[in-house]
């Protein structure tokens, strides 16, 4: 299936999801897009609209994620400025769950970051509010 303006996604019946490496969610890189669906013929038009809205809201979502990443390192020996955090991590995966309001988001470290920062930052967002991260919030 082709989703404009993102590109092609394919149904993976084993995982009950549509998956593709797509453009136009993040401005500078392709993003793994996953959309939960039980069947390949399930109507996911509402979820596609949610993905389109996510792309529109990209800057505000990323501002929240970067702020949390900044807080993670703040007042530690590994503290970085917010601008440095923005240079270190980029959005690599977006997964929209079946309820059409829960998102799993993943920030990947740039290949050149120091080892201490070389891990994926994972978040769960519900209704545009970050409710979980793989580090203490």
């Amino acid at each position: 299936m082709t989703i404009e303006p993102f590109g092609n996604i394919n149904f993976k019946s084993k995982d009950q999801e549509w998956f593709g490496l797509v453009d136009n969610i993040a401005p500078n890189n392709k993003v793994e897009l996953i959309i939960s669906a039980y069947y390949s013929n399930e109507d996911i038009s509402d979820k596609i609209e949610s993905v389109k809205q996510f792309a529109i809201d990209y800057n505000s979502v990323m501002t929240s994620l970067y702020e949390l990443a900044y807080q993670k390192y703040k007042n530690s020996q590994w503290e970085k400025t917010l601008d440095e955090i923005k240079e270190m991590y980029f959005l690599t995966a977006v997964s929209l769950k079946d309820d059409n309001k829960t998102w799993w988001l993943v920030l990947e470290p740039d290949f050149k970051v120091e080892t201490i920062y070389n891990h994926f930052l994972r978040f769960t967002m519900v209704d545009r509010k970050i409710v979980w991260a793989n580090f203490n919030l």
Side-chain angles (χ1 to χ4, degrees), residues 10-19 34-40 42 95-98 104:
N10 299 301
F11 189 72
K12 298 167 102 182
S13 58
K14 178 182 153 237
D15 298 321
Q16 295 182 316
E17 65 189 21
W18 288 92
F19 174 86
I34 298 166
I35 300 174
S36 294
Y38 293 107
Y39 307 102
S40 62
E42 181 179 331
S95 178
L96 178 56
K97 298 304 170 188
D98 194 53
W104 291 357

Side-chain angles (χ1 to χ4, degrees), residues 1-10 18-35 51 55 91-94:
M1 169 191 318
T2 300
I3 302 174
E4 291 301 327
F6 306 113
N8 294 323
I9 59 174
N10 299 301
W18 288 92
F19 174 86
L21 190 59
V22 301
D23 294 310
N24 299 320
I25 291 180
N28 299 317
N29 59 287
K30 288 185 177 280
V31 172
E32 290 180 5
L33 174 62
I34 298 166
I35 300 174
V51 172
L91 184 67
T92 192
V94 172

Side-chain angles (χ1 to χ4, degrees), residues 65 68 103-105 107 121-125 130 132-133 135:
L65 300 182
L68 290 171
W103 301 79
W104 291 357
L105 309 170
L107 296 184
L121 303 179
R122 300 179 190 281
F123 304 88
T124 300
M125 180 176 70
I130 305 303
W132 179 87
F135 56 86

Side-chain angles (χ1 to χ4, degrees), residues 2-6 24-25 33 35 45-58 94 96 100 103 128:
T2 300
I3 302 174
E4 291 301 327
F6 306 113
N24 299 320
I25 291 180
L33 174 62
I35 300 174
S45 57
D46 58 335
K47 293 177 184 173
I48 292 170
E49 289 306 313
S50 292
V51 172
K52 289 178 180 180
Q53 187 60 50
F54 180 92
I56 291 168
D57 296 344
Y58 171 84
V94 172
L96 178 56
N100 199 22
W103 301 79
R128 295 295 188 263

